[in-house]
Amino acid sequence: GLSAALAPNNPRTRTRMRHAYQVPVVVRSLRALPKKKKTSFRDRNNRKSRCCEVKRRSRTRAEDLLELLERESEKELEDRKKMLVQERERCVEELNQVAKELDEVYRDTFEGNEMKKVARGADLSTARGFKLLGRDDPEAMAAVLELLRERDGGRAWKDLQERGHDLRLRERRVSERLEDIEAELSPRFAEGEVGAEDGEVSGTDTSVNICLVCGFESFNLSLYRGVARDLRRRTEGRVNLSVFSDRDVENNAGEVEEALAGSDVFFGSLLFDYDVVQWLRERVDPVPTRFVFESDLDLMALTRVGTFTMAPPKDGKKAGPPPAVKKILELFGSNREEDRVAGYLTMLKFGPKLLRYLPGKKVKHLRNWLEVYGYWNQAGATNVLSMFSLIVNEYAGLAGAHSKLKTDEVTEMPNQGCVHPNARGMVFKDPASYLEWYEREGPLKSTGAPRVALLLYRKHVITNMSYIPALISEMEDGGLVPVPIFINGVEAHTVVRDLLTTAREQDKTTLKKGAVQVDAIVSTIGFPLVGGPAGSVEAGRQQEIGAEILSSKNVPYVVAAPLLIQDIESWEATGMTGLQSIVLYALPELDGAIDTVPIGGLVGDDIFLVKERVKRLVGRLRGWIDLATKPRDEVNLAVMLYGFPPGVGATGTAALLNVPKSLEGLLKRLKGDGYDVGDLPGNVDGEGILTALRALEDARAGAAHLVGAAEEAAAAVGAEVVREEVSPSELSRWLSFPEHWGPTEWGPLPYLPDSKILLDRLEQQWGQLGSPGQLGATPDGKYACLGLRFGKVTVGVQPMLGIEGDPMRLLFERDLTPAPYYCAYYKALEFSWDINAVIHFGTHGTVEWLPGSPVGNTGLSWPDVLLGNLPNVYVYTANNPSESVVAKRRGYGTIVSHNVPPYGRSGLYKELLSLRDLLNEYREDRAEGAALREPIEELVKATGLYSECPLEREGEVLGFDVWVQELLSYLDVVENRLFSEGLHVFGQVPTDAQVEAYLQAYGGEAAEAAEISHLLRRSDEELDGVARALRGEYVLPTPGGDLLRDGPGVLPTGRNIHALDPYRMPSETAEVRGAAAASKILDAHRRQGSGFPETCSVALWGLDAIKTGGDSVGIVLALVGARTIRDSTGRVARFELISLDELGRPRCDVVANVSALFRDQFKNVLELLDDLMLRASRADEPVEMNFVKKHTEELEREGVDRASSRMFSNPSGDYGSMVNERVGSGNWDEGGELGDTWVSRNAFSYGKGGEAGNARPEVLMALLETTDRVVQGVDSVEYGLTDIQEYYANTGAADEGRGGREAAEGEGGEGRVWEGKVGCSIVEYFGGEGSEPKEIEDVLKLEYRSKLLNPKWAEAMVSQGSGGAFEVSQRMTALLGWGATANFSENFVWDQAVETYVEDAEMADRLRKSNPEAFRNVLRRSIEAARRGMWDADEDKLEMLMELYREMDDKLEGVE
């Protein structure tokens, strides 16, 4: 037994053998102990290792083995010592070399008499001399640095930073290694007492192993490792603290497991990752003593300190603090629910002192637990050393009277206070005390500069993180007075509520003594305001309370924090990861945070500041504060409208918004609020403004007659034309970084950007600036930026992104750049026109979609570059939280939501109404109705209804009465189908009739209906929201969503909408709904005689996922046969396979068609799904019952790598399939080309283990070949299959990409229907619990009947003016797209569309006048459909269309 226990391949032995110096001490201690002592030793160290369980009859053999072990270990020890001595010599030699090279750098840099003169004779030829000058003569140092920055255009300063930075990193790395060596070589084996008075221990003691694993505090790893070295030194190597982060559990699991197997104590902190928690739970239970702080509740439940535990009660309740702790908490908590967690901090300070007076061992252990907690919470090397000394003394004691390790009293830092790098050693008790000092000694004293509260993480302050003083200094350099307040994180809301006030705060009764007035609030912590990290863990974010507190302060609330979960290199390469983005973006956005700026991140285990990012933070803060302080009639505003795609009447349009009417209301409101809008007419004409803007686009080249026409059109609406010609040299200057910038500004990026890196990229794409023929360039090579100016309000159209004919391609290729003209326009807003804020008017523009980091802008992200420091107020539809998040995060948009248009019912019209009358007449008198059979059949075929309701099916003829009933049921569905009735006018309160239409569509109980009615009538708060943002005020947050699904939860509008917590996806109800939908899909598929589908392609889109809570994810889980596993806080932690016995059917394989928005916002979900598919592919199940396994193994036999990949999307940082771009431009011949385009754009795999956009086309193509069914969700009435381009560009193109689908003529001669294996199920998430998935062709026909072909919808839309005409135009393009990708080619749709919008002379005239480009597009798509064989149009009708198209084309081109 002992041989086995001590065998080299035993993991517990390996743990000990890693520290060979321990073994002789253990052996000598064993021999020195009497028999009773030996038994006691074994009892006290009864771990998994069996080496101490040798029975007494084996004593002789054991002693022989121990002697052998001692001899071998001593030899290993001697060899180890020799190796360490040699390595120490190498380290010393390398440090000397680094010092020499550093001195050479300084000597080369500061040589010359001029430099010596400025340095006042100081010796700057060495690094030490340079450091001494900075300490002894700061004034001379400043002059030296100024001279250095001027030398060689800043190149010398940059070279010093680059070379010095690399050498310092090398010096630090070698020094740390030398410290480790010295600690290991320190005397360990001397017998007797050593330095007991200094807290060191006797050499006769046994060894103690402690394993530490930390999570969100990896920045403390260096501190912990330093303490580990100190403990080894003080105890002669007998206390061994092994330090790991949660990343080590994933990357070095074997080493962590070895350390745990031989540990006496486990210490864990801030551990939340589910996989890490589960891994640890399975391995720490044998460890006798366990401390787990502020971590997952299930892991904290493993806490065991003597007889004190935090195990959950036997009644099945969740784990949590035991009754004794809860009782103490009650003593320190406040009456406010939200303050209870903050009271926890006070309990930590005074709890141990109270418990000293209570008897009993359990109380002793509780006291010890609290004291250990107190040491850890106070942080710092001294406290942490005392903490582990206390743990060793009490629970892993070293034998001997003189073996107690010295423990100091807790070195306490206040739980909160203020600090400043210039006030060394001083901690101010409150902000008022701090400002009193600052006004005497601060760098910006007596300047009246704006004040910004800066919430700092207390542990970062205690541990002297270098980024904090640098951050404070940068804010001061930018003209802001920082008020740096350190907190633990859980009490942020109490500081904001009680210690900060503003000029706008009305009720100041909650303020405490020491409160100060600030102009903005910045949190460097992230997480929710209420509860901080604890709030997110417990899902008790108290969002309403957070919003109430911030609303009372009514100033911008910004999050700007370093990345603590990922390193700077990965951020720069692929953007912010899932959990990191949740901490910095998703959770703070619930509180209404804006303009999040990552200001640094990890390099190794240390936090580094990126000063370039801090400069952006400071600039944007100044922008918001200026809005609050500048007189309104001096504020310059820009309103940006949209004009994409070109040539189809898109200028001045936005989703669901009547832009002309809304613009009228905005300008009037600005005038009423005191902004300078010039001589704005009382009856301002929005359509006239759009006409003038279109004329400006025509006049861009500078032709005299066109310029004159534009000026006339501008004057007609009370505006003047503003024209700024940006020269290449100006644009070059605006897009260049300072020459002297180096590592100090850019931080430790993987590479150092050149000052002209953006220009190089721009010219690589577009050629030299100002080259002839560039988009937007004048003949003399300048970029003409045009707009309409109303006083100090400029209205412009967002410029084209790329070359004409393909203006959006750069959105889909990360390496591309916007055109120089686009860049010139945005930079002219900031620098030429001195714009103070920009309003992006409607859903949505393009600037936020430009290339760059997907989440977490860097200085090279084009949205960040072009928006610069401009406050961005972004008007967005309330039902689109997914894309608004992109505008918020990448485009710095403060979102102001607007309502959706009122709902209408389709009703019946024309032939459909006649058909219903005939059917009812037949039913009323079947005997007389026999004569109606033939007219009914003819009318059914004429309306195209035969394909939906055929009389003959599979060779059998239905009874005519049954058929009549089916037709009536279908007409009832069409009649009651909902649609958006027109467009919404921003800030306009709906009429009583419109409110009633909303309520009828929603349903619900009377009380809820009354609430919704009231909230809908607050739509005028939309304009209030814009007004608040333009004054630099706080805009209340609210979730975005769908009125029909979420009811009052998304109202009122005029709010800063946000998405949901990604770690709650799918919600429990969404999982249930998804499972029900999947069951119906499978049942319908089997009813078609196809059995179970082997593979389903399921669309995972960000928009529907947010609005439904994740129904689409629930569908995927159900198809595969899995369920969610939630951790103790309710977060989704894993997807678990359901057993085949419980499932009762085969597992379907699923290939996910993941939108770029879902990819960026729900990375955690993709990782969980990827992990699920991997486990499904490895499950011990027959392949005929597990299609995931079947297809994976088939690919693996072909040598395909990572064959379990199933999550496919665009390349990292890219957006869209480009299919709709090809359809829009007509750049395609066969549908297969569009399918190939989709595959090429969506063959990039995402998941765990660094799978972040790896191209795997062979896996995707193989899965598409086995796909039997496509599943697509539709999230709202407003965005149906026929309303937007994305559906045919993805779901339609995905099927086309599969290939192999056959098409055949349908009955009645009405086009073609889908045949073969592949079906497509459409799940309408807005349809309620009883909604049945439908086949795609049925939904397309139903939508076209209820919308595009419906005179009621057409009238409602066309009456909206140019915007409504554009909506008609877009749906004609989408109709063509469905024909291109899904072979949807129904004659009745094209016939009736042309009849409604072209052959109806009145309707055609209205379209032509309100938006001639849109009308031309209607004609163009109809002609194209006929030419491509999608529509069997007669020759006369086609000739009529072509003649009209030529007329419109000539008119738009100015041909008389």
Side-chain angles (χ1 to χ4, degrees), residues 1064-1091:
R1064 304 292 194 254
M1065 164 117 25
S1067 68
E1068 293 181 8
T1069 53
E1071 185 175 2
V1072 172
R1073 288 194 301 260
S1079 177
K1080 293 175 181 177
I1081 289 168
L1082 293 177
D1083 289 345
H1085 190 85
R1086 295 180 70 198
R1087 283 197 298 271
Q1088 296 175 7
S1090 304

Side-chain angles (χ1 to χ4, degrees), residues 574-640:
T574 60
M576 208 173 290
T577 58
L579 184 55
Q580 183 68 76
S581 68
I582 289 168
V583 170
L584 260 65
Y585 285 95
L587 296 176
E589 285 167 359
L590 304 179
D591 293 321
I594 62 171
D595 282 16
T596 296
V597 179
I599 57 173
L602 293 173
V603 177
D605 300 321
D606 297 316
I607 303 172
F608 281 81
L609 192 72
V610 178
K611 287 190 177 181
E612 177 274 331
R613 290 289 77 204
V614 181
K615 294 179 189 297
R616 175 64 73 222
L617 165 69
V618 171
R620 296 199 63 79
L621 285 170
R622 287 302 304 257
W624 286 111
I625 293 170
D626 286 348
L627 286 177
T629 56
K630 198 169 187 177
R632 293 181 197 172
D633 60 356
E634 297 180 13
V635 173
N636 292 311
L637 299 176
V639 181
M640 296 299 291

Side-chain angles (χ1 to χ4, degrees), residues 331-615:
L331 299 175
F332 298 102
S334 76
N335 293 327
R336 287 182 168 140
E337 173 68 25
E338 66 269 23
D339 291 356
R340 289 186 179 178
V341 179
Y344 193 63
L345 302 173
T346 311
M347 182 273 288
L348 290 176
K349 184 173 182 179
F350 296 105
K353 298 175 182 177
L354 291 177
L355 289 172
R356 286 179 183 174
Y357 303 101
L358 298 179
K361 286 187 176 181
K362 190 162 187 176
V363 172
K364 170 192 171 184
H365 297 309
L366 171 57
R367 183 178 66 246
N368 288 339
W369 176 80
L370 285 170
E371 287 184 354
V372 169
Y373 205 162
Y375 278 123
W376 175 77
N377 184 61
Q378 290 296 329
T382 302
N383 283 330
V384 173
L385 180 61
S386 291
M387 176 184 77
F388 283 112
S389 297
L390 173 64
I391 292 172
V392 170
N393 291 341
E394 295 289 337
Y395 299 104
L398 299 171
H402 300 287
S403 296
K404 289 288 186 182
L405 294 174
K406 179 183 176 182
T407 59
D408 297 318
E409 288 291 322
V410 175
T411 302
E412 292 189 353
M413 180 97 163
N415 282 331
Q416 60 188 235
C418 297
V419 292
H420 192 281
N422 291 8
R424 296 185 183 278
M426 298 175 65
V427 175
F428 303 96
K429 63 179 180 179
D430 54 44
S433 302
Y434 164 80
L435 282 181
E436 183 181 346
W437 166 86
Y438 197 94
E439 283 303 308
R440 293 195 313 270
E441 304 181 37
L444 298 180
K445 62 184 178 183
S446 304
T447 61
R451 296 175 187 166
V452 176
L454 189 63
L455 304 182
L456 302 172
Y457 190 29
R458 179 175 168 277
K459 283 199 172 183
H460 291 184
V461 174
I462 294 173
T463 52
N464 298 314
M465 290 291 164
S466 60
Y467 82 87
I468 292 176
L471 171 60
I472 291 171
S473 296
E474 281 296 317
M475 294 185 71
E476 289 170 333
D477 289 347
L480 299 176
V481 173
V483 183
I485 309 171
F486 64 82
I487 58 176
N488 284 279
V490 298
E491 76 281 37
H493 67 287
T494 66
V495 171
V496 174
R497 182 189 65 207
D498 302 337
L499 293 176
L500 300 177
T501 186
T502 69
R504 298 190 181 110
E505 186 168 16
Q506 302 296 316
D507 180 8
K508 301 190 178 186
T509 57
T510 64
L511 297 177
K512 291 183 177 179
K513 183 180 179 181
V516 299
Q517 182 171 308
V518 296
D519 299 287
I521 300 168
V522 175
S523 170
T524 68
I525 297 170
F527 293 100
L529 181 71
V530 178
S536 66
V537 170
E538 298 295 340
R541 287 178 289 270
Q542 306 285 340
Q543 295 167 33
E544 292 182 7
I545 296 170
E548 180 183 339
I549 292 171
L550 291 169
S551 181
S552 70
K553 308 302 171 181
N554 201 16
V555 294
Y557 173 57
V558 173
V559 169
L563 281 63
L564 302 181
I565 304 173
Q566 70 178 108
D567 56 38
I568 288 179
E569 184 175 2
S570 65
W571 164 35
E572 195 279 335
T574 60
M576 208 173 290
T577 58
L579 184 55
Q580 183 68 76
S581 68
I582 289 168
V583 170
L584 260 65
Y585 285 95
L587 296 176
E589 285 167 359
L590 304 179
D591 293 321
I594 62 171
D595 282 16
T596 296
V597 179
I599 57 173
L602 293 173
V603 177
D605 300 321
D606 297 316
I607 303 172
F608 281 81
L609 192 72
V610 178
K611 287 190 177 181
E612 177 274 331
R613 290 289 77 204
V614 181
K615 294 179 189 297

